[in-house]
PDB file of all heavy atoms in Angstrom:
ATOM      1  N   TYR A   6      71.937 135.356 102.528  1.00 94.00           N
ATOM      2  CA  TYR A   6      71.910 134.390 103.617  1.00 94.00           C
ATOM      3  C   TYR A   6      73.243 134.434 104.361  1.00 94.00           C
ATOM      4  O   TYR A   6      74.262 134.855 103.800  1.00 94.00           O
ATOM      5  CB  TYR A   6      71.662 132.979 103.085  1.00 94.00           C
ATOM      6  CG  TYR A   6      70.293 132.784 102.477  1.00 94.00           C
ATOM      7  CD1 TYR A   6      70.124 132.715 101.099  1.00 94.00           C
ATOM      8  CD2 TYR A   6      69.172 132.680 103.288  1.00 94.00           C
ATOM      9  CE1 TYR A   6      68.869 132.537 100.543  1.00 94.00           C
ATOM     10  CE2 TYR A   6      67.912 132.506 102.745  1.00 94.00           C
ATOM     11  CZ  TYR A   6      67.764 132.436 101.366  1.00 94.00           C
ATOM     12  OH  TYR A   6      66.505 132.274 100.831  1.00 94.00           O
ATOM     13  N   ASP A  35      73.908 131.661  87.398  1.00 91.00           N
ATOM     14  CA  ASP A  35      75.104 132.350  87.834  1.00 91.00           C
ATOM     15  C   ASP A  35      75.882 131.408  88.756  1.00 91.00           C
ATOM     16  O   ASP A  35      75.342 130.898  89.741  1.00 91.00           O
ATOM     17  CB  ASP A  35      74.697 133.629  88.577  1.00 91.00           C
ATOM     18  CG  ASP A  35      75.897 134.399  89.108  1.00 91.00           C
ATOM     19  OD1 ASP A  35      77.043 134.019  88.795  1.00 91.00           O
ATOM     20  OD2 ASP A  35      75.681 135.381  89.840  1.00 91.00           O
ATOM     21  N   MET A  36      77.163 131.171  88.454  1.00 94.00           N
ATOM     22  CA  MET A  36      77.942 130.212  89.240  1.00 94.00           C
ATOM     23  C   MET A  36      78.123 130.676  90.679  1.00 94.00           C
ATOM     24  O   MET A  36      78.272 129.850  91.581  1.00 94.00           O
ATOM     25  CB  MET A  36      79.298 129.974  88.586  1.00 94.00           C
ATOM     26  CG  MET A  36      79.229 129.112  87.341  1.00 94.00           C
ATOM     27  SD  MET A  36      78.366 127.534  87.624  1.00 94.00           S
ATOM     28  CE  MET A  36      79.397 126.795  88.885  1.00 94.00           C
ATOM     29  N   ALA A  72      80.195 117.128  90.633  1.00 94.00           N
ATOM     30  CA  ALA A  72      81.151 117.311  89.545  1.00 94.00           C
ATOM     31  C   ALA A  72      82.452 117.924  90.061  1.00 94.00           C
ATOM     32  O   ALA A  72      83.553 117.512  89.657  1.00 94.00           O
ATOM     33  CB  ALA A  72      80.548 118.193  88.457  1.00 94.00           C
ATOM     34  N   ASP A  76      86.251 116.242  89.728  1.00 92.00           N
ATOM     35  CA  ASP A  76      87.334 116.826  88.922  1.00 92.00           C
ATOM     36  C   ASP A  76      88.405 117.539  89.741  1.00 92.00           C
ATOM     37  O   ASP A  76      89.322 118.150  89.182  1.00 92.00           O
ATOM     38  CB  ASP A  76      86.766 117.789  87.863  1.00 92.00           C
ATOM     39  CG  ASP A  76      86.074 119.009  88.475  1.00 92.00           C
ATOM     40  OD1 ASP A  76      86.241 119.272  89.688  1.00 92.00           O
ATOM     41  OD2 ASP A  76      85.355 119.718  87.740  1.00 92.00           O
ATOM     42  N   THR A  78      88.037 120.128  91.848  1.00 95.00           N
ATOM     43  CA  THR A  78      87.843 121.569  92.073  1.00 95.00           C
ATOM     44  C   THR A  78      87.861 121.917  93.550  1.00 95.00           C
ATOM     45  O   THR A  78      88.420 122.938  93.948  1.00 95.00           O
ATOM     46  CB  THR A  78      86.512 122.027  91.436  1.00 95.00           C
ATOM     47  OG1 THR A  78      86.563 121.800  90.026  1.00 95.00           O
ATOM     48  CG2 THR A  78      86.269 123.508  91.692  1.00 95.00           C
ATOM     49  N   VAL A  83      90.413 124.573  98.245  1.00 94.00           N
ATOM     50  CA  VAL A  83      91.026 124.511  99.576  1.00 94.00           C
ATOM     51  C   VAL A  83      92.366 125.249  99.576  1.00 94.00           C
ATOM     52  O   VAL A  83      92.730 125.914 100.552  1.00 94.00           O
ATOM     53  CB  VAL A  83      91.217 123.038 100.013  1.00 94.00           C
ATOM     54  CG1 VAL A  83      92.162 122.942 101.196  1.00 94.00           C
ATOM     55  CG2 VAL A  83      89.877 122.425 100.393  1.00 94.00           C
ATOM     56  N   GLY A 102     105.649 122.464 108.374  1.00 93.00           N
ATOM     57  CA  GLY A 102     105.197 121.499 109.373  1.00 93.00           C
ATOM     58  C   GLY A 102     103.694 121.333 109.295  1.00 93.00           C
ATOM     59  O   GLY A 102     102.981 122.216 108.816  1.00 93.00           O
ATOM     60  N   THR A 112      76.835 108.174 111.572  1.00 92.00           N
ATOM     61  CA  THR A 112      76.133 108.278 110.306  1.00 92.00           C
ATOM     62  C   THR A 112      74.634 108.338 110.563  1.00 92.00           C
ATOM     63  O   THR A 112      74.129 107.714 111.499  1.00 92.00           O
ATOM     64  CB  THR A 112      76.459 107.083 109.398  1.00 92.00           C
ATOM     65  OG1 THR A 112      76.362 105.874 110.157  1.00 92.00           O
ATOM     66  CG2 THR A 112      77.858 107.192 108.829  1.00 92.00           C
ATOM     67  N   ARG A 128      79.360 104.488 116.020  1.00 92.00           N
ATOM     68  CA  ARG A 128      79.170 103.767 114.759  1.00 92.00           C
ATOM     69  C   ARG A 128      78.971 104.782 113.644  1.00 92.00           C
ATOM     70  O   ARG A 128      78.026 105.576 113.677  1.00 92.00           O
ATOM     71  CB  ARG A 128      77.978 102.824 114.829  1.00 92.00           C
ATOM     72  CG  ARG A 128      77.734 102.096 113.504  1.00 92.00           C
ATOM     73  CD  ARG A 128      76.759 100.951 113.610  1.00 92.00           C
ATOM     74  NE  ARG A 128      76.494 100.355 112.300  1.00 92.00           N
ATOM     75  CZ  ARG A 128      77.322  99.522 111.668  1.00 92.00           C
ATOM     76  NH1 ARG A 128      78.475  99.206 112.231  1.00 92.00           N
ATOM     77  NH2 ARG A 128      77.006  99.008 110.487  1.00 92.00           N
ATOM     78  N   HIS A 133      89.702 111.903 108.749  1.00 96.00           N
ATOM     79  CA  HIS A 133      91.128 112.098 108.943  1.00 96.00           C
ATOM     80  C   HIS A 133      91.529 113.388 108.223  1.00 96.00           C
ATOM     81  O   HIS A 133      91.211 113.560 107.036  1.00 96.00           O
ATOM     82  CB  HIS A 133      91.935 110.940 108.363  1.00 96.00           C
ATOM     83  CG  HIS A 133      91.480 109.588 108.816  1.00 96.00           C
ATOM     84  ND1 HIS A 133      92.119 108.884 109.823  1.00 96.00           N
ATOM     85  CD2 HIS A 133      90.459 108.793 108.394  1.00 96.00           C
ATOM     86  CE1 HIS A 133      91.514 107.730 109.997  1.00 96.00           C
ATOM     87  NE2 HIS A 133      90.502 107.642 109.146  1.00 96.00           N
ATOM     88  N   VAL A 147      88.151 110.265 104.404  1.00 96.00           N
ATOM     89  CA  VAL A 147      87.055 109.719 105.217  1.00 96.00           C
ATOM     90  C   VAL A 147      87.031 108.213 105.046  1.00 96.00           C
ATOM     91  O   VAL A 147      87.036 107.700 103.915  1.00 96.00           O
ATOM     92  CB  VAL A 147      85.703 110.334 104.817  1.00 96.00           C
ATOM     93  CG1 VAL A 147      84.567 109.665 105.587  1.00 96.00           C
ATOM     94  CG2 VAL A 147      85.692 111.836 105.083  1.00 96.00           C
ATOM     95  N   ALA A 149      85.742 104.246 107.210  1.00 94.00           N
ATOM     96  CA  ALA A 149      84.887 103.670 108.243  1.00 94.00           C
ATOM     97  C   ALA A 149      85.494 103.963 109.610  1.00 94.00           C
ATOM     98  O   ALA A 149      86.711 104.073 109.758  1.00 94.00           O
ATOM     99  CB  ALA A 149      84.747 102.170 108.034  1.00 94.00           C
ATOM    100  N   THR A 157      95.895 103.944 108.571  1.00 94.00           N
ATOM    101  CA  THR A 157      95.324 104.791 107.529  1.00 94.00           C
ATOM    102  C   THR A 157      96.244 105.956 107.181  1.00 94.00           C
ATOM    103  O   THR A 157      96.176 106.494 106.068  1.00 94.00           O
ATOM    104  CB  THR A 157      93.952 105.337 107.980  1.00 94.00           C
ATOM    105  OG1 THR A 157      93.124 104.242 108.380  1.00 94.00           O
ATOM    106  CG2 THR A 157      93.247 106.102 106.874  1.00 94.00           C
ATOM    107  N   THR A 163     100.403 110.328 101.821  1.00 94.00           N
ATOM    108  CA  THR A 163     100.795 110.232 100.417  1.00 94.00           C
ATOM    109  C   THR A 163     100.256 111.398  99.608  1.00 94.00           C
ATOM    110  O   THR A 163     100.849 111.803  98.601  1.00 94.00           O
ATOM    111  CB  THR A 163     100.309 108.890  99.819  1.00 94.00           C
ATOM    112  OG1 THR A 163     100.873 107.810 100.571  1.00 94.00           O
ATOM    113  CG2 THR A 163     100.709 108.746  98.369  1.00 94.00           C
ATOM    114  N   PHE A 170     103.703 120.615  98.222  1.00 95.00           N
ATOM    115  CA  PHE A 170     104.235 121.021  99.532  1.00 95.00           C
ATOM    116  C   PHE A 170     105.742 120.752  99.579  1.00 95.00           C
ATOM    117  O   PHE A 170     106.205 119.846 100.269  1.00 95.00           O
ATOM    118  CB  PHE A 170     103.519 120.259 100.656  1.00 95.00           C
ATOM    119  CG  PHE A 170     102.021 120.366 100.616  1.00 95.00           C
ATOM    120  CD1 PHE A 170     101.248 119.338 100.097  1.00 95.00           C
ATOM    121  CD2 PHE A 170     101.386 121.514 101.073  1.00 95.00           C
ATOM    122  CE1 PHE A 170      99.868 119.449 100.056  1.00 95.00           C
ATOM    123  CE2 PHE A 170     100.009 121.628 101.032  1.00 95.00           C
ATOM    124  CZ  PHE A 170      99.238 120.597 100.520  1.00 95.00           C
ATOM    125  N   GLN A 194     110.527 106.124 102.647  1.00 91.00           N
ATOM    126  CA  GLN A 194     110.686 107.439 102.014  1.00 91.00           C
ATOM    127  C   GLN A 194     111.572 108.296 102.915  1.00 91.00           C
ATOM    128  O   GLN A 194     111.779 107.994 104.086  1.00 91.00           O
ATOM    129  CB  GLN A 194     109.325 108.092 101.766  1.00 91.00           C
ATOM    130  CG  GLN A 194     108.414 108.163 102.983  1.00 91.00           C
ATOM    131  CD  GLN A 194     108.638 109.414 103.807  1.00 91.00           C
ATOM    132  OE1 GLN A 194     108.670 110.511 103.278  1.00 91.00           O
ATOM    133  NE2 GLN A 194     108.815 109.242 105.110  1.00 91.00           N
ATOM    134  N   PRO A 213      95.657 121.513 126.482  1.00 58.00           N
ATOM    135  CA  PRO A 213      96.130 121.615 125.097  1.00 58.00           C
ATOM    136  C   PRO A 213      97.622 121.334 124.995  1.00 58.00           C
ATOM    137  O   PRO A 213      98.415 121.867 125.768  1.00 58.00           O
ATOM    138  CB  PRO A 213      95.801 123.066 124.718  1.00 58.00           C
ATOM    139  CG  PRO A 213      95.673 123.793 126.012  1.00 58.00           C
ATOM    140  CD  PRO A 213      95.152 122.792 127.000  1.00 58.00           C
ATOM    141  N   TRP A 218      97.383 121.326 119.343  1.00 80.00           N
ATOM    142  CA  TRP A 218      96.062 121.859 119.654  1.00 80.00           C
ATOM    143  C   TRP A 218      95.390 122.490 118.439  1.00 80.00           C
ATOM    144  O   TRP A 218      94.164 122.576 118.381  1.00 80.00           O
ATOM    145  CB  TRP A 218      96.157 122.887 120.787  1.00 80.00           C
ATOM    146  CG  TRP A 218      96.927 124.122 120.424  1.00 80.00           C
ATOM    147  CD1 TRP A 218      98.264 124.324 120.568  1.00 80.00           C
ATOM    148  CD2 TRP A 218      96.407 125.316 119.847  1.00 80.00           C
ATOM    149  NE1 TRP A 218      98.627 125.566 120.113  1.00 80.00           N
ATOM    150  CE2 TRP A 218      97.489 126.204 119.663  1.00 80.00           C
ATOM    151  CE3 TRP A 218      95.138 125.733 119.456  1.00 80.00           C
ATOM    152  CZ2 TRP A 218      97.352 127.475 119.110  1.00 80.00           C
ATOM    153  CZ3 TRP A 218      94.989 127.003 118.916  1.00 80.00           C
ATOM    154  CH2 TRP A 218      96.091 127.861 118.744  1.00 80.00           C
ATOM    155  N   ARG A 235      76.515 115.282 111.758  1.00 92.00           N
ATOM    156  CA  ARG A 235      76.503 113.843 111.502  1.00 92.00           C
ATOM    157  C   ARG A 235      76.958 113.630 110.071  1.00 92.00           C
ATOM    158  O   ARG A 235      77.038 114.584 109.297  1.00 92.00           O
ATOM    159  CB  ARG A 235      75.107 113.252 111.697  1.00 92.00           C
ATOM    160  CG  ARG A 235      74.731 113.019 113.138  1.00 92.00           C
ATOM    161  CD  ARG A 235      73.587 112.045 113.252  1.00 92.00           C
ATOM    162  NE  ARG A 235      73.272 111.734 114.637  1.00 92.00           N
ATOM    163  CZ  ARG A 235      72.500 110.736 115.005  1.00 92.00           C
ATOM    164  NH1 ARG A 235      71.963 109.948 114.100  1.00 92.00           N
ATOM    165  NH2 ARG A 235      72.249 110.511 116.280  1.00 92.00           N
ATOM    166  N   GLU A 238      76.038 111.503 104.297  1.00 93.00           N
ATOM    167  CA  GLU A 238      76.337 111.131 102.926  1.00 93.00           C
ATOM    168  C   GLU A 238      76.346 109.611 102.750  1.00 93.00           C
ATOM    169  O   GLU A 238      76.670 108.860 103.668  1.00 93.00           O
ATOM    170  CB  GLU A 238      77.690 111.710 102.501  1.00 93.00           C
ATOM    171  CG  GLU A 238      77.929 113.153 102.926  1.00 93.00           C
ATOM    172  CD  GLU A 238      76.799 114.093 102.549  1.00 93.00           C
ATOM    173  OE1 GLU A 238      76.202 113.917 101.467  1.00 93.00           O
ATOM    174  OE2 GLU A 238      76.510 115.003 103.336  1.00 93.00           O
ATOM    175  N   PRO A 273      87.600 141.456 131.261  1.00 55.00           N
ATOM    176  CA  PRO A 273      87.555 141.015 132.668  1.00 55.00           C
ATOM    177  C   PRO A 273      86.754 141.981 133.520  1.00 55.00           C
ATOM    178  O   PRO A 273      86.711 143.187 133.268  1.00 55.00           O
ATOM    179  CB  PRO A 273      89.027 140.987 133.076  1.00 55.00           C
ATOM    180  CG  PRO A 273      89.704 141.925 132.125  1.00 55.00           C
ATOM    181  CD  PRO A 273      88.957 141.832 130.841  1.00 55.00           C
TER     182      PRO A 273
END
Side-chain angles (χ1 to χ4, degrees):
Y6 294 105
D35 178 7
M36 286 307 299
D76 64 14
T78 298
V83 165
T112 46
R128 178 168 176 78
H133 309 260
V147 175
T157 307
T163 301
F170 306 101
Q194 52 88 49
W218 65 270
R235 281 199 176 193
E238 317 309 323

